[in-house]
Amino acid sequence: MNMEQKASPTMYSVLFAVSLAHLINDALQAVIPASYPILRDSLGLSYTQIGIITFILYFSSSVMQPFVGMYADAKPSPRILPIGMAIALLGMVGIALAPGYALTLLAVALMGLASAMFHPEGARIAYLAAGPRRGLAQSIFQVGGNSGSALAPLMTALIFFPFGQKGAMWFTLIAAVGIALQWRVARWYGEQLARNPRKKPQAAAPQKDTARRVKMAILIIILIAFARSWFGSSISTYFSFYLIEHFHMTVPQAQVYIFLYMGAGIIGTFFGGALSDKIGRKNVILLSVLGAAPFAILLPHAGEIMIYPLLFILGLINHSSFSVTIVYVQELVPGKVGMVSGLITGLSFGLGAIGAVALGGLIDMTSLTQVITACSFMPLLGAIGLLLPSDKVVRSWRNRAEIGG
């Protein structure tokens, strides 16, 4: 199996196609928070009701991902990709036409389910198309999603303000393109499954010590994802309020800073994966979490001008490990690519959502400055990454599993 992997080329056409599908999927999901100001006015929603919409979206999209991945590991399903996008299209119609709150929640749940159906299988396709460059492949895939999520402010300005709630109907055209694109990707995926039918594992179960170390490594990755997501939430959700409060900026001025952070994150996601193919997954993970720490700690004490380079550097470094943690766990548990991809991706979104709610409560109880300052120390939690098994050890475990499987 290893010889076949080495001989397989990196399928860039497939990677760019699934990355574009990821962009469309996450852009459609970003429609929901982008529509909050309009939905609040058209349906007369309270902030609590908006919070419930957010919970439904992230619960359905994040919590479901590992279970979808487990199902796909047992029974790979190429058709799940276009079916998921068709469900997203129905959800978008629901958001545009919902006359009340209950139907809006149902539409949001459909959007979240569609996202949960896409991510594990999308990550698996990136894994299959990677050839020897798994880090780069996962980065190309994840950059599509990051770019789609970053479109939310533009959606609000260009679509919802001019057209109102029914403006969401315009996104059904994007969903239709997504269905056609994912149908083509699914055909390639099906061909790969036909050429390389899955074999039932015949090897003995891994030794207890190895199994224990694998579980510990996954737990460490989850804790790193927790620290990264909560710090990211403090920036993307609340730092604009900090800028407005401390420097008396307007909302558009503050949003420029956040866009800078998110834009740098897209760059960091791409280059982090490529770098991990050269210097190793663990090294990039440590560089990301610990390298971000000094800049994060400086951020609450910086002046208005210095915040620009600090946010750019933080976006670059903090996001550089996003795709790498996924590849690390995929290689740690090679027989369950879908499940672990859904677990890490879902946790990143889910923990970020929980972090946004929890940090908001802490700000209400304390102050914005105190919470932003406390969150600046979150990257230091990444020091537990020093306990991760080396890439060489992970490769030896993977090779043993693949020879047996």
Side-chain angles (χ1 to χ4, degrees):
M1 185 168 181
N2 288 334
M3 290 180 65
E4 290 177 2
Q5 276 183 351
K6 290 179 181 177
S8 299
T10 302
M11 302 295 295
Y12 287 103
S13 61
V14 175
L15 289 174
F16 287 123
V18 77
S19 180
L20 180 57
H22 198 181
L23 185 152
I24 292 173
N25 179 88
D26 284 24
L28 292 176
Q29 191 173 8
V31 165
I32 296 172
S35 68
Y36 283 167
I38 304 303
L39 291 177
R40 183 187 62 184
D41 294 338
S42 63
L43 300 177
L45 304 182
S46 67
Y47 287 108
T48 300
Q49 288 175 313
I50 290 174
I52 292 172
I53 292 176
T54 303
F55 174 79
I56 293 295
L57 174 64
Y58 283 104
F59 180 84
S60 57
S61 65
S62 302
V63 176
M64 290 297 296
Q65 281 191 42
F67 298 103
V68 173
M70 288 174 64
Y71 173 80
D73 285 332
K75 189 177 180 181
S77 308
R79 291 181 182 177
I80 201 172
L81 296 170
I83 290 173
M85 186 57 66
I87 292 174
L89 190 151
L90 290 176
M92 195 59 57
V93 172
I95 290 171
L97 302 180
Y101 185 58
L103 288 179
T104 299
L105 291 180
L106 176 60
V108 168
L110 289 175
M111 295 294 298
L113 176 61
S115 182
M117 292 171 69
F118 171 75
H119 281 97
E121 287 293 72
R124 185 201 302 277
I125 289 169
Y127 185 87
L128 291 174
R133 308 195 70 181
R134 287 176 177 166
L136 175 63
Q138 196 61 223
S139 290
I140 292 172
F141 173 66
Q142 296 298 338
V143 160
N146 289 353
S147 301
S149 298
L151 292 174
L154 295 178
M155 292 176 188
T156 301
L158 300 178
I159 304 295
F160 288 112
F161 278 138
F163 298 103
Q165 181 181 347
K166 291 185 178 180
M169 287 295 291
W170 285 101
F171 295 99
T172 61
L173 299 176
I174 298 176
V177 173
I179 292 173
L181 178 64
Q182 296 206 47
W183 188 267
R184 294 191 64 179
V185 172
R187 285 181 58 187
W188 179 87
Y189 183 20
E191 291 170 0
Q192 297 305 303
L193 293 175
R195 290 175 189 167
N196 303 288
R198 292 166 57 84
K199 298 178 182 178
K200 293 184 179 180
Q202 299 175 353
Q207 296 180 355
K208 287 185 178 180
D209 181 61
T210 300
R212 181 183 61 80
R213 293 177 68 187
V214 167
K215 290 177 182 177
M216 181 59 65
I218 293 174
L219 177 60
I220 291 171
I221 290 292
I222 290 172
L223 290 173
I224 289 173
F226 162 79
R228 186 180 60 205
S229 296
W230 276 50
F231 176 74
S233 290
S234 73
I235 299 296
S236 61
T237 307
Y238 297 109
F239 198 71
S240 60
F241 296 104
Y242 175 85
L243 294 170
I244 292 168
E245 180 179 302
H246 277 258
F247 301 106
H248 308 291
M249 295 183 186
T250 64
V251 172
Q253 286 173 334
Q255 286 299 317
V256 170
Y257 286 83
I258 307 306
F259 182 77
L260 180 68
Y261 173 78
M262 295 175 69
I266 295 172
I267 299 170
T269 298
F270 178 79
F271 285 103
L275 184 63
S276 76
D277 288 331
K278 297 183 179 297
I279 69 171
R281 320 294 183 212
K282 180 178 177 179
N283 289 335
V284 171
I285 291 171
L286 290 175
L287 176 65
S288 174
V289 291
L290 296 181
F295 302 102
I297 293 170
L298 283 173
L299 188 63
H301 310 287
E304 185 175 348
I305 301 300
M306 282 304 300
I307 289 176
Y308 275 115
L310 285 175
L311 279 179
F312 183 83
I313 294 170
L314 279 169
L316 201 67
I317 298 177
N318 195 44
H319 288 79
S320 64
S321 64
F322 186 80
S323 62
V324 180
T325 52
I326 296 171
V327 176
Y328 183 89
V329 180
Q330 285 176 342
E331 295 178 341
L332 199 62
V333 192
K336 299 180 179 179
V337 172
M339 184 194 73
V340 298
S341 299
L343 177 68
I344 300 303
T345 306
L347 274 175
S348 294
F349 282 110
L351 289 172
I354 294 170
V357 175
L359 293 176
L362 288 173
I363 290 170
D364 288 336
M365 288 189 293
T366 57
S367 73
L368 182 60
T369 300
Q370 285 179 309
V371 171
I372 292 295
T373 302
C375 286
S376 70
F377 291 92
M378 288 294 290
L380 290 175
L381 183 59
I384 61 173
L386 293 167
L387 301 176
L388 286 171
S390 68
D391 290 63
K392 183 178 180 181
V393 170
V394 172
R395 278 195 298 271
S396 70
W397 293 343
R398 186 181 77 236
N399 291 339
R400 200 180 310 155
E402 290 177 341
I403 291 172

